[in-house]
Amino acid sequence: MGYEIGNERVYGLDRAVKASGNPMRTVLDVTDSTEKDYLRAARLGQAANGLGHDNFLKGITVQVDIKAPLYWWKEAQRYHWFDFISSQSTMHCLLKFDVRKQCVEETDPFILSRIEELVHEYQKIPVDEANSKEAKEKWRTLVASLPCGFMLAATMVTNYQQLKTMYIQRRHHKLKEWHIFCDWCEKLPHFLQLTGADRLAK
């Protein structure tokens, strides 16, 4: 099992492209976007991060499903405008997962065996008040021992401006998951045209 990203939905593309021209208007233009609008937006969107010219990219919203190992989620969560809509829960579903199938293939087999042992030990504890303390302690041990290769899926929301930053910072990252992520970004409608992220990442 490996990193998966898909089921994306892109919203507000044309409206944001049209809005990129608002600073030069005395009356807002609400007509459909034209080729001229896209050319202007591409010029502004390819500006270096932090200059503010690419702010219209925030108006292009993306929802996407991602299944990734915990070590990837730890890095992804540093981005402020990359937010969870909802995710799988270890609290609710850990005992329902097949741990071996839920981890990346590089996870050490010894660690997988130990997690399976902990699951078995927890499941043997009687569900009653007399054993509640032992169950809580064993559960904490189990959750705390999950390997970083354990995969969880989530539905995320973000925007083109944040994706531009992520692409630039992660295009040449050590983790193969970031390469898959950046490849996915490139396939989003007009992403490279409007952000120039591939050029800025070189």
Side-chain angles (χ1 to χ4, degrees), residues 70-88:
L70 298 180
Y71 59 75
W72 185 87
W73 282 118
K74 287 191 296 184
E75 294 187 355
Q77 288 171 10
R78 72 180 298 273
Y79 293 102
H80 186 62
W81 298 112
F82 188 58
D83 295 328
F84 287 87
I85 295 174
S86 188
S87 67
Q88 290 179 321

Side-chain angles (χ1 to χ4, degrees), residues 53-69:
H53 301 307
D54 62 354
N55 279 348
F56 76 93
L57 292 171
K58 288 186 290 188
I60 307 173
T61 302
V62 181
Q63 294 182 357
V64 61
D65 292 338
I66 301 176
K67 188 170 190 175

Side-chain angles (χ1 to χ4, degrees), residues 117 122 167 193:
E117 288 175 3
Y122 176 82
Y167 185 104
Q193 173 194 356

Side-chain angles (χ1 to χ4, degrees), residues 119-174:
V119 169
H120 182 63
E121 291 171 7
Y122 176 82
Q123 290 174 327
K124 286 196 308 183
I125 301 172
V127 182
D128 55 35
E129 186 62 31
N131 293 281
S132 63
K133 184 175 184 294
E134 181 186 358
K136 289 177 182 177
E137 290 174 351
K138 185 63 70 174
W139 177 258
R140 285 187 59 84
T141 299
L142 175 57
V143 172
S145 301
L146 277 178
C148 283
F150 189 81
M151 307 274 286
L152 286 176
T155 301
M156 308 296 292
V157 62
T158 186
N159 60 65
Y160 270 32
Q161 188 178 48
Q162 183 68 97
L163 290 175
K164 173 185 173 181
T165 297
M166 296 171 80
Y167 185 104
I168 293 169
Q169 293 182 352
R170 303 290 177 170
R171 191 64 182 115
H172 306 293
H173 197 275
K174 285 183 179 180

Side-chain angles (χ1 to χ4, degrees), residues 35-49:
E35 183 180 353
K36 181 180 178 182
D37 291 317
Y38 272 86
L39 289 173
R40 178 191 59 250
R43 227 174 24 251
L44 295 170
Q46 294 180 30
N49 283 3

Side-chain angles (χ1 to χ4, degrees), residues 183-195:
D183 289 344
W184 168 79
C185 286
E186 292 181 359
K187 297 173 184 175
L188 293 172
H190 299 281
F191 178 77
L192 291 181
Q193 173 194 356
L194 293 175
T195 66

